[in-house]
């Protein structure tokens, strides 16, 4: 709620309303995916003989890797779409949007910094393995946010202001 109010102050009423909608829609979509519970062992397999690991380790590795990759792609696309229409899903996204606007950083960089700090602090609670998966996820999310938010065609735009515009053309 605090970030929503801060977003209203810094980013305006339109942003506030869209973000409120996104904040309500996000848990509904997450709930939908929880209900679907797609079986990961049918979607993703690795040749166990090449990796020389046991079946129990294989299942754990497959499920975690699948979750990191697909979850990151879906999250990055969803956040990119939200950012594209001047909205967020609430929480830390609002802070990231304010930082990106004030300091003119790409959204991916603000995601790397803010989410990266949270994940690095969590190493003491969840351990190094889950922290490494989370850092990979943050990186992939940032890539897909930029691809969707900026349309995937360019990373920067330069405007050249000059009195000699015909010569520059």
């Amino acid at each position: 709620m605090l970030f929503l109010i801060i977003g209203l102050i810094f980013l305006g009423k339109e942003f506030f309303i869209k973000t409120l909608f996104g904040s309500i829609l996000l848990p509904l979509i997450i709930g939908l995916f929880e209900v679907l519970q797609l079986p990961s062992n049918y979607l993703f397999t690795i040749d166990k003989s090449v990796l020389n690991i046991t079946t129990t380790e294989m299942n754990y590795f497959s499920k975690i890797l699948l979750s990191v990759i697909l979850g990151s792609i879906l999250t990055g696309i969803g956040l990119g779409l939200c950012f594209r229409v001047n909205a967020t899903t609430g929480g830390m996204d609002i802070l990231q949007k304010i930082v990106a606007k004030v300091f003119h950083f790409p959204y991916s960089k603000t995601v790397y910094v803010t989410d990266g700090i949270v994940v690095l602090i969590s190493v003491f609670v969840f351990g190094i393995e889950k922290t490494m998966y989370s850092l990979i996820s943050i990186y992939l999310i940032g890539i897909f946010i930029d691809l969707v938010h900026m349309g995937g065609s360019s990373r920067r735009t330069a405007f050249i202001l000059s009195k000699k515009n015909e010569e520059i053309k």
Side-chain angles (χ1 to χ4, degrees):
M1 290 305 294
L2 177 64
F3 281 140
L4 272 174
I5 294 167
I6 292 171
L8 175 64
I9 294 167
F10 283 97
L11 301 169
K13 183 180 177 182
E14 178 185 348
F15 169 82
F16 175 81
I17 293 169
K18 289 179 180 179
T19 296
L20 192 59
F21 178 73
S23 298
I24 294 168
L25 192 60
L26 176 65
L28 293 175
I29 292 173
I30 290 172
L32 175 67
F33 278 104
E34 285 181 13
V35 169
L36 293 177
Q37 288 190 6
L38 299 174
S40 61
N41 54 336
Y42 295 114
L43 298 174
F44 182 75
T45 58
I46 293 177
D47 184 10
K48 290 184 274 190
S49 63
V50 173
L51 295 176
N52 195 22
I53 55 180
T54 65
T55 304
T56 305
E57 292 170 329
M58 184 60 223
N59 290 335
Y60 174 77
F61 176 74
S62 295
K63 289 178 182 179
I64 294 293
L65 191 59
L66 178 69
S67 296
V68 167
I69 293 170
L70 291 181
S72 301
I73 291 169
L74 291 173
T75 301
I77 290 170
L79 289 174
L81 289 171
C82 282
F83 291 157
R84 198 172 195 167
V85 297
N86 191 33
T88 69
T89 57
M92 195 65 108
D93 295 347
I94 297 171
L95 176 64
Q96 294 164 349
K97 181 136 177 95
I98 292 170
V99 168
K101 180 180 178 183
V102 171
F103 296 107
H104 306 288
F105 289 144
Y107 287 120
S108 59
K109 303 294 186 265
T110 61
V111 168
Y112 297 151
V113 171
T114 56
D115 289 356
I117 290 170
V118 171
V119 167
L120 288 175
I121 291 170
S122 74
V123 71
F124 300 109
V125 176
F126 297 108
I128 191 73
E129 181 183 358
K130 290 181 181 173
T131 299
M132 295 307 295
Y133 283 126
S134 298
L135 291 173
I136 292 167
S137 179
I138 290 169
Y139 178 72
L140 291 173
I141 288 169
I143 289 171
F144 280 91
I145 286 173
D146 278 349
L147 283 174
V148 173
H149 181 251
M150 292 194 249
S153 60
S154 65
R155 294 202 162 249
R156 300 279 189 256
T157 301
F159 294 100
I160 301 172
L161 305 174
S162 173
K163 292 180 181 178
K164 299 179 181 184
N165 59 349
E166 291 303 316
E167 293 175 26
I168 293 172
K169 284 183 186 178

